[in-house]
Amino acid sequence: YEKPARVNLRVLKKAGITLNKLLEHYAMVTEFGWQVLERDDTARSITVIDLDGIRLRDFIGDVVAFVRKAAAFTGQHYPERAGYVFV
């Protein structure tokens, strides 16, 4: 269950965390899930992306850029693991 609108990117940027660093963290958590928590190669994910709180102006900002890049990452590295994605 993901709530991208709840991520305070301004605070993260002030702390020196870039969008790329956030994506690296996302990749690490995803890899941990598939390599440690669920090692069965036939397992599939169910992802819910809750867009509540995302405003029209967010679609040109970092929040949507993160969602797009995270989706591209999982699509590139784990296409066989995607079961369902609900937006």
Side-chain angles (χ1 to χ4, degrees):
Y1 195 89
E2 300 175 13
K3 295 185 85 166
R6 302 285 301 225
V7 177
N8 192 333
L9 291 174
R10 281 189 206 103
V11 171
L12 292 174
K13 281 183 179 181
K14 285 182 182 178
I17 299 171
T18 64
L19 190 59
N20 283 339
K21 284 291 182 189
L22 192 58
L23 287 163
E24 285 177 22
H25 175 74
Y26 182 84
M28 181 185 71
V29 169
T30 302
E31 186 70 19
F32 178 81
W34 291 123
Q35 297 299 320
V36 177
L37 300 177
E38 181 53 75
R39 300 181 74 182
D40 183 356
D41 288 338
T42 64
R44 300 291 177 262
S45 66
I46 297 172
T47 303
V48 176
I49 302 173
D50 186 344
L51 297 181
D52 184 44
I54 291 184
R55 297 159 297 201
L56 189 56
R57 68 184 174 117
D58 292 327
F59 280 92
I60 58 170
D62 287 336
V63 172
V64 172
F66 174 77
V67 171
R68 286 183 180 152
K69 288 182 179 187
F73 167 79
T74 54
Q76 181 180 5
H77 296 283
Y78 300 102
E80 71 284 354
R81 299 286 194 148
Y84 298 96
V85 178
F86 299 97
V87 179

